[in-house]
Amino acid sequence: MLMPVPDAGVIARREELAAALRAVVPTVLSDEDSRRPYETDGLTAYRQMPLLVALPETTAQVAAALKICGAFGAKVVPRGAGTSLSGGALPLGDGVLLGLAKFNRILDIDFANRCVVAQPGVANLSITKAVESRGFYYAPDPSSQVVCSIGGNVAENAGGVHCLKYGMTTNNVLGVEAVLMSGEVVRLGGKHLDAGDYDLLGVLTGSEGLLAVVTEVTVRILRKPETARALLIGFAAVEAAGECVARIIAAGIIPAGMELMDRPAIHAAEAFTHAGYPLDAAAILIVELDGPAVEAEELSRRAADIARAVGATSVRASANDAERVKFWAGRKAAFPAVGRISPDYYCMDGTIPRRKLPEVLAHIATLSQHYGLGVANVFHAGDGNLHPLILYDANKAGELERAEAFGADILKQCVAVGGVLTGEHGVGVEKRDLMGEMFDQADLDQQQMLKCAFDPAGALNPGKVFPTLHRCAELGRVHVHGGEARFPDVPRL
Amino acid sequence: MRPTTADAVEDAVATAAAHGRTLEVRAGGSKVGLGNPIQAHDVLDLSALSGIVDYDPAELVLTARAATPMSEIDAALRARGQHLAFEPPDYRRLLGGGGAPTLGGVLASNLSGPRRIAAGAARDHFLGLHAVSGRGQVFKSGGRVVKNVTGYDLSKLLAGSFGTLAVLTEVTVKVMPAPEDCCTVLVLGLSAESAVELLCAMTALPLDITGLAHLPNGLAARSGVRLVAGAECPITALRLEGIAVSVGARLLRLREAIVERGARHDDTAILGPEDTEMLWGEIRDGLLLPPGVVWKVSVPPAEGARVAAAIAARQHCDVLYDWAGGLLWVALHGQSASPDSVRGVLARSGGHATLVRAPMSERERCPAFQPLSGPLRALSQRVKHAFDPVGVLNPGRMVS
Ligand SMILES: Cc1cc2nc3c(=O)[nH]c(=O)nc-3n(C[C@H](O)[C@H](O)[C@H](O)COP(=O)(O)OP(=O)(O)OC[C@H]3O[C@@H](n4cnc5c(N)ncnc54)[C@H](O)[C@@H]3O)c2cc1C
């Protein structure tokens, strides 16, 4: 993975930069041992020691630190809890890692306006914990929710198993305070709805730490549904499971969650959690219906009828909440369960039109043979978000590279059938060089021009998302262009 | 100029930019009265970019060319039992204009109806786009699937940008199953303050209420729903939608909860599906407002009644409350836009005020959107510049 060429000048001034940062930020880590924990994120295949680690505690400190980094020409990599699966928080050797873990307070719980104001380092689940006594919760629930930070969720536009019905992070964030690389502080949105001007909040969400550092987040909280019921449905063929999903949705039912697992995933999860999954099934679906009791009841009956009509081999409805949680236990532990059957696994994250599922799974099976690596599939079936887990052993020469090539082929196939490279984990460094599969140069240039509006020096998290970095001046020079006849001397980007 | 392809749009914009000419971007023309009035050299008429490109109900996505009339979108969705959950409004009667609303126009102005609080805004359903920037460059963003985080989410940015950043040529939206059944509970005679309190309290119950509005006396009287118009008192309305058994069960519980909070049973009433559709349509499209200047004010819901009272203390007005108090439709008596009376009270509560309807002389003087200041203003200008550096598209529509 090619990262921006480290700036030897900045590296040479490391001590000077550390001293300048220490004057404004209480904690600046420079010795090797204390920097070590920051060298990687959730994508552990990539490692890089940061030049320095700064841990600010206030917005003013963030602003001051960014100004200093700007003055030194030093790059900055923001970091929340470091669970990114796409290498979004991978440090740079000539960059300051700006850790937001000390921003760990919930600032305001406002039940009347149904929102919570939190600092970015607060863990996703802590927001729900803070409001659940009154029957509320924060809807987006990434599997990493115990640790991942709300700031990191905003940066990645994180999802979860409930986002078909309740939306991703972007649909649940009302406002942020953010600091630009210039040190300027902006507030976007608030406790009210919908920007009156350009929706900069919408574009900051999911910007992977490239546009601004988020220092405060306002999220909406929802009333917990009264009941939830889950169906555990077994199928003799993946096609039938896919058909079942399509028919449930065509019947006007939007489940709170609808998850598909293939045979290898079922076996790994069952061995690990004893959730009671049918081991003879080629695929299982977990379908959760929530709402008022009568509604959950009626919809789960309708969904079960559909499942039987498409030839399900087994249909079980949770009789109580304990059983529902048990149905989910295997799915929720699918990643660690796969971790037990293979020394390493590599989690992919493409989205496809659901009707393409059988075709894509067949292609993945072919690739699995071709690369000689196993694969287990878990799938947010409701919204078409596929998570193939590629099994490999990093200690065997060449396996990591084979796993990466396998993963890239899967993502290319996702795009080829009309889908996208990433449904929730972000582009980061991991999928950066695949961006050309989905976007042409004009698309990427327009995105980078937006980046220039926020960060003209390109100092915030460079090397992520975009395969090639243009200098803003270079992009800006091509003011307007059309047909070659009108602008013969203007290069087409 | 009436281009028939995205390439022709690219050509038109590039030519305009090269010759220093500005363009008014227009699709159905139903919302020319929204935003700041503009003066452009030429009109870029998109109406030929029409038609549904792809619609697969089971995938929950629809792709259409940008100027596809909403009537066509609605008909296609209705035939498959689906809808756009953000409840796109039709402001033709409110703005007194003609034209036909288009899907691209609805998205470009990020207009959402009463269900916005439960289902999200237009921007939340906008999945992907093809567009032409003010640089005269075709580009695309997003995708045709419901879940996607690849690259910056430019759909959000272009939603509500009123054609000042780029010309949409093709859009993809998320569609949802339409509810099987619906009804409305009315509470009669509440003051605005008690009504907003009640509405906020009801959102704390697990009843999935999809419309929470309050109409003062004079506005309720303008409704076409007999029960509402004839009540001769303020009306608070709460809408339930979903499968029939669920609507029925929640209706009982909602009414109980309202009575528990002190309303007399006699002061509540129920509207069936037809009246429900009519009433929420009137609220959505601003049809209950009297003639005159109209503002839309977005505030934290629990502040709604206080903000409205503060505005009323400065300027005679009628206020219709939607979004559980979070959206105030302020109808001023008289022809003056009086921005100070409206925007002046928002400093404490937060929020923003948009001038929706006013005489041309007032629209020319009073910025339609809440003016920005400081670094945010500069940032917004740089964003505009990133898409439309020479200012070809809809000059002045958003920022003067
Ligand atoms: C076991 C496991 C399961 C997971 N399951 C899911 C899942 O179900 N759904 C899902 O969507 N994701 C999932 N993830 C991925 C990950 O947890 C999310 O992307 C999460 O949002 C990252 O949050 P973080 O605080 O760890 O951010 P980090 O990893 O620290 O950073 C992620 C990105 O955000 C930027 N960033 C962080 N904080 C800020 C800030 N305050 N301001 C600006 N930029 C910032 C960083 O620069 C980086 O680019 C999973 C990860 C793991 C390890």
Side-chain angles (χ1 to χ4, degrees):
Chain A
M1 180 63 49
L2 208 62
M3 293 305 280
V5 183
D7 184 334
V10 170
I11 296 174
R13 294 175 71 196
R14 195 180 97 102
E15 295 314 317
E16 210 184 320
L17 176 58
L21 287 171
R22 281 201 181 98
V24 296
V25 176
T27 315
V28 177
L29 311 175
S30 63
D31 66 288
E32 196 168 326
D33 283 350
S34 46
R35 279 183 291 143
R36 180 69 65 194
Y38 298 91
E39 70 174 349
T40 188
D41 59 14
L43 185 64
T44 50
Y46 300 117
R47 282 167 202 278
Q48 168 65 53
M49 282 286 272
L51 184 67
L52 294 166
V53 176
L55 303 175
E57 294 171 20
T58 66
T59 302
Q61 290 172 10
V62 170
L66 291 182
K67 268 195 208 154
I68 289 170
C69 291
F72 274 78
K75 300 169 181 115
V76 175
V77 177
R79 178 184 173 106
T83 65
S84 168
L85 291 174
S86 54
L90 180 72
L92 294 166
D94 59 342
V96 174
L97 189 104
L98 193 76
L100 291 139
K102 298 203 173 202
F103 279 81
N104 57 6
R105 283 182 306 126
I106 289 181
L107 302 174
D108 182 12
I109 299 175
D110 184 346
F111 287 111
N113 288 307
R114 296 169 296 287
C115 62
V116 166
V117 183
Q119 291 189 320
V122 168
N124 170 297
L125 189 63
S126 302
I127 297 178
T128 292
K129 292 269 180 234
V131 298
E132 66 186 359
S133 63
R134 296 267 296 264
F136 285 87
Y137 76 118
Y138 174 61
D141 56 342
S143 313
S144 50
Q145 69 181 150
V146 179
V147 282
C148 68
S149 74
I150 191 68
N153 290 173
V154 170
E156 297 283 15
N157 187 15
V161 294
H162 289 102
C163 58
L164 178 64
K165 185 164 176 189
Y166 296 105
M168 312 260 294
T169 303
T170 189
N171 312 113
N172 290 278
V173 172
L174 295 172
V176 296
E177 177 193 74
V179 188
L180 305 181
M181 207 46 221
S182 62
E184 290 168 303
V185 180
V186 293
R187 295 196 79 90
L188 309 172
K191 291 181 177 180
H192 57 281
L193 293 171
D194 298 337
D197 208 85
Y198 292 141
D199 188 356
L200 302 182
L201 172 62
V203 85
L204 193 58
T205 308
S207 64
E208 305 198 23
L210 268 72
L211 298 185
V213 177
V214 174
T215 48
E216 187 191 293
V217 185
T218 303
V219 296
R220 69 174 184 148
I221 50 172
L222 299 179
R223 171 68 203 212
K224 262 209 168 92
E226 186 179 60
T227 11
R229 287 193 150 248
L231 296 172
L232 178 63
I233 311 169
F235 296 91
V238 172
E239 285 79 1
E243 180 63 21
C244 185
V245 171
R247 289 221 205 157
I248 286 175
I249 287 180
I253 302 171
I254 299 294
M258 182 144 60
E259 295 290 309
L260 187 152
M261 295 164 74
D262 72 355
R263 192 190 300 274
I266 297 168
H267 281 251
E270 182 61 21
F272 188 41
T273 61
H274 311 290
Y277 293 167
L279 292 174
D280 57 339
I284 60 164
L285 268 185
I286 303 172
V287 183
E288 180 161 297
L289 290 316
D290 68 6
V294 280
E295 179 171 328
E297 196 91 16
E298 168 68 13
L299 292 181
S300 71
R301 196 185 54 70
R302 290 186 195 180
D305 287 348
I306 292 169
R308 287 188 198 97
V310 299
T313 48
S314 63
V315 181
R316 286 172 58 195
S318 62
N320 50 46
D321 222 46
E323 194 173 19
R324 180 184 70 85
V325 170
K326 197 170 168 207
F327 286 178
W328 276 108
R331 167 61 186 91
K332 294 221 161 151
F335 290 15
V338 166
R340 289 201 338 159
I341 59 168
S342 171
D344 297 284
Y345 68 88
Y346 182 33
C347 174
M348 307 310 296
D349 171 49
T351 304
I352 55 172
R354 271 184 277 90
R355 61 174 179 267
K356 301 287 187 182
L357 180 66
E359 182 186 327
V360 172
L361 287 185
H363 186 70
I364 292 176
T366 312
L367 290 170
S368 168
Q369 297 239 305
H370 171 78
Y371 284 103
L373 297 174
V375 64
N377 285 292
V378 298
F379 186 52
H380 299 305
D383 39 34
N385 187 198
L386 192 60
H387 289 321
L389 304 171
I390 299 170
L391 315 180
Y392 71 101
D393 182 350
N395 288 327
K396 289 195 186 146
E399 281 216 352
L400 169 63
E401 290 71 22
R402 285 213 319 273
E404 287 184 329
F406 184 177
D409 282 351
I410 293 174
L411 295 182
K412 286 179 193 165
Q413 170 80 356
C414 289
V415 175
V417 301
V420 299
L421 292 174
T422 170
E424 58 180 14
H425 294 168
V427 176
V429 288
E430 185 204 23
K431 283 154 280 208
R432 185 191 74 185
D433 295 342
L434 293 172
M435 285 291 270
E437 297 289 324
M438 214 175 125
F439 296 117
D440 56 34
Q441 198 56 47
D443 307 334
L444 294 172
D445 286 346
Q446 185 55 63
Q447 299 213 12
Q448 290 204 42
M449 285 185 265
L450 178 70
K451 158 86 168 161
C452 293
F454 282 81
D455 172 25
L460 204 51
N461 217 5
K464 319 290 167 70
V465 183
F466 297 108
T468 42
L469 289 175
H470 294 293
R471 305 229 329 273
C472 290
E474 210 175 290
L475 285 164
R477 208 177 303 132
V478 188
H479 270 313
V480 188
H481 59 86
E484 262 151 287
R486 281 193 302 276
F487 302 100
D489 51 350
V490 175
R492 261 190 114 85
L493 283 172
Chain B
M1 269 177 272
R2 192 166 178 271
T4 54
T5 63
D7 283 347
V9 174
E10 182 179 36
D11 222 48
V13 177
T15 305
H19 294 95
R21 294 185 76 78
T22 53
L23 297 173
E24 178 186 337
V25 186
R26 192 186 282 206
S30 70
K31 292 188 244 317
V32 285
L34 275 186
N36 299 316
I38 61 173
Q39 300 238 300
H41 293 113
D42 304 299
V43 171
L44 182 62
D45 174 359
L46 300 176
S47 56
L49 293 179
S50 178
I52 293 172
V53 175
D54 188 23
Y55 172 38
D56 184 343
E59 298 287 341
L60 300 174
V61 295
L62 177 147
T63 301
R65 303 222 287 164
T68 309
M70 285 305 291
S71 54
E72 190 177 331
I73 304 282
D74 286 340
L77 293 176
R78 201 171 310 122
R80 306 302 295 265
Q82 296 190 327
H83 71 164
L84 293 170
F86 59 92
E87 231 179 338
D90 178 350
Y91 286 166
R92 269 178 294 184
R93 278 166 67 192
L94 175 69
L95 299 176
T102 63
L103 183 58
V106 163
L107 295 170
S109 29
N110 191 30
L111 294 178
S112 321
R115 206 185 287 111
R116 195 269 172 254
I117 40 163
R123 50 95 86 176
D124 295 297
H125 296 78
F126 190 8
L127 299 173
L129 57 94
H130 287 247
V132 177
S133 71
R135 293 168 189 267
Q137 175 68 61
V138 166
F139 69 98
K140 65 180 175 299
S141 171
R144 286 192 185 179
V145 288
V146 294
K147 196 173 177 196
N148 174 21
V149 297
T150 320
Y152 298 134
D153 192 352
L154 299 185
S155 303
K156 297 278 184 311
L157 186 62
L158 294 196
S161 69
F162 285 86
T164 60
L165 299 178
V167 182
L168 296 172
T169 54
E170 185 187 292
V171 295
T172 297
V173 287
K174 179 176 181 176
V175 298
M176 279 293 184
E180 276 172 28
D181 191 16
C182 63
C183 72
T184 300
V185 179
L186 302 179
V187 189
L188 313 185
L190 296 182
S191 69
E193 219 182 332
S194 325
V196 168
E197 234 170 72
L198 174 75
L199 295 175
C200 285
M202 293 301 102
T203 61
L205 301 178
L207 296 176
D208 297 342
I209 306 170
T210 62
L212 300 116
H214 176 73
L215 326 175
N217 206 353
L219 301 191
R222 303 170 63 89
S223 173
V225 177
R226 271 196 18 234
L227 199 57
V228 174
E232 295 185 345
C233 67
I235 297 273
T236 309
L238 302 98
R239 178 175 62 181
L240 297 170
E241 298 176 296
I243 57 172
V245 282
S246 170
V247 170
R250 283 181 288 149
L251 172 60
L252 289 176
R253 291 179 50 189
L254 178 57
R255 207 169 183 181
E256 242 167 58
I258 290 169
V259 170
E260 262 167 37
R261 284 184 60 90
R264 292 187 317 145
H265 198 267
D266 287 354
D267 288 337
T268 65
I270 313 292
L271 299 182
E274 266 167 43
D275 283 342
T276 291
E277 199 172 314
M278 177 181 279
L279 176 64
W280 292 97
E282 291 169 338
I283 296 171
R284 177 192 68 211
D285 298 343
L287 301 184
L288 302 178
L289 305 167
V293 170
V294 172
W295 288 84
K296 258 170 97 172
V297 183
S298 176
V299 292
E303 301 281 328
R306 197 191 57 74
V307 171
I311 295 172
R314 297 178 177 212
Q315 185 82 32
H316 287 296
C317 62
D318 294 299
V319 179
L320 186 152
Y321 301 76
D322 196 358
W323 301 355
L327 174 64
L328 311 176
W329 286 92
V330 180
L332 299 181
H333 299 176
Q335 292 300 310
S336 159
S338 311
D340 297 341
S341 306
V342 180
R343 289 188 171 132
V345 306
L346 294 179
R348 216 182 93 195
S349 59
H352 58 87
T354 307
L355 181 62
V356 176
R357 185 176 70 191
M360 187 51 96
S361 56
E362 288 296 293
R363 290 177 61 210
E364 277 166 354
R365 276 211 317 244
C366 169
F369 301 99
Q370 187 97 9
L372 303 173
S373 58
L376 188 51
R377 180 184 163 89
L379 177 60
S380 293
Q381 283 167 344
R382 292 198 300 275
V383 168
K384 162 79 174 170
H385 191 268
F387 285 82
D388 182 18
V390 293
V392 181
L393 305 175
N394 283 347
R397 186 102 192 248
M398 286 196 79
V399 220
S400 40

